[in-house]
């Protein structure tokens, strides 16, 4: 399970960029546009498995990785903590000599020795990482453009769909995201 510990401090596109894209000059809807940008970013991140701006994330596992575990959000800038739950209900750091890490797009963590057994058989291991491309404007252009297009799409269609269908992104946005999707096994 992936949890965002620290959400992004900035968005991949600014309110001003979105307003230019929407051809708006008034500041009356800035708060609504900011919410739409954040929602669009989250959709793009979920669809691609990528963090568009810097944030902290936690991967929770039931047990230590038997071999290699791929971090579900990319790019990983650093692995910040690897811990197991103790019998006392505390979290104890795993000795860095017991695992190897690879950061970047295909970030992975591999056990190189025997980890302490977590006290709980459910969610007894947590791996914290700093993820994302960096600050505003650092994500690939196609992903920033997808956020702008989805923001405009959401702005123009403010009413909820009530026909029970799963929300489908417009084809142009799906096409932009296609080459950035991370395979899931």
């Amino acid at each position: 399970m992936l949890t965002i510990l620290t959400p992004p401090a900035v968005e991949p596109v600014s309110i001003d960029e979105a307003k230019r894209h929407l051809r708006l000059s008034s500041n009356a809807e800035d708060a609504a546009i900011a919410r739409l940008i954040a929602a669009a970013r989250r959709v793009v991140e979920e669809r691609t498995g990528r963090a568009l701006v810097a944030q902290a994330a936690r991967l929770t596992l039931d047990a230590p990785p038997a071999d290699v575990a791929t971090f579900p959000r990319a790019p990983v800038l650093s692995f910040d903590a690897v811990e197991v739950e103790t019998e006392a209900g505390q979290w104890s750091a795993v000795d860095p000599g017991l695992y190897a890490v690879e950061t970047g797009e295909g970030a992975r963590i591999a056990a190189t020795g025997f980890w302490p057994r977590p006290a709980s058989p459910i969610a007894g291991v947590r791996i914290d990482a700093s993820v994302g491309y960096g600050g505003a404007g650092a994500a690939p252009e196609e992903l920033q453009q997808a956020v702008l297009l989805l923001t405009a799409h959401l702005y123009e269609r403010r009413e909820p769909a009530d026909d029970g269908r799963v929300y489908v992104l417009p084809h142009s946005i799906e096409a932009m995201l296609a080459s950035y999707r991370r395979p899931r096994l």
Side-chain angles (χ1 to χ4, degrees), residues 15 19 24-35 155 158:
I15 292 172
K19 284 172 45 177
L24 297 175
S25 57
S26 168
N27 295 334
E29 296 190 84
D30 283 6
I33 292 168
R35 287 190 301 276
Y155 180 82
R158 296 184 189 200

Side-chain angles (χ1 to χ4, degrees), residues 18-127:
K19 284 172 45 177
R20 280 192 300 276
H21 183 78
L22 292 165
R23 296 186 180 108
L24 297 175
S25 57
S26 168
N27 295 334
E29 296 190 84
D30 283 6
I33 292 168
R35 287 190 301 276
L36 293 174
I37 292 168
R41 174 195 39 87
R42 287 190 300 270
V43 168
V44 169
E45 287 178 338
E46 286 302 316
R47 294 284 174 112
T48 62
R50 296 171 185 280
L52 302 187
V53 287
Q55 51 198 275
R58 172 175 289 157
L59 175 61
T60 304
L61 304 171
D62 293 334
D67 188 21
V68 177
T70 301
F71 203 81
R73 193 58 55 100
V76 172
L77 304 171
S78 64
F79 284 96
D80 304 324
V82 178
E83 301 172 317
V84 296
E85 187 177 15
T86 67
E87 293 292 335
Q90 303 296 316
W91 290 93
S92 176
V94 175
D95 179 350
L98 298 177
Y99 60 88
V101 298
E102 179 180 57
T103 57
E105 290 293 327
R108 305 178 295 172
I109 184 166
T112 59
F114 293 104
W115 291 23
R117 183 183 177 117
S120 174
I122 299 172
V125 176
R126 61 188 192 187
I127 302 167

Side-chain angles (χ1 to χ4, degrees), residues 12-15 17-23 33 36-44 52 140-158 167-178 180:
V13 298
S14 70
I15 292 172
E17 287 174 288
K19 284 172 45 177
R20 280 192 300 276
H21 183 78
L22 292 165
R23 296 186 180 108
I33 292 168
L36 293 174
I37 292 168
R41 174 195 39 87
R42 287 190 300 270
V43 168
V44 169
L52 302 187
E141 286 292 325
E142 294 90 347
L143 297 178
Q144 292 180 61
Q145 187 64 30
V147 170
L148 283 173
L149 288 173
L150 185 53
T151 300
H153 179 76
L154 295 171
Y155 180 82
E156 293 165 3
R157 291 160 187 81
R158 296 184 189 200
Y167 183 73
V168 177
L169 291 179
H171 294 297
S172 59
I173 297 172
E174 287 286 3
M176 286 183 153
L177 300 181
Y180 286 93

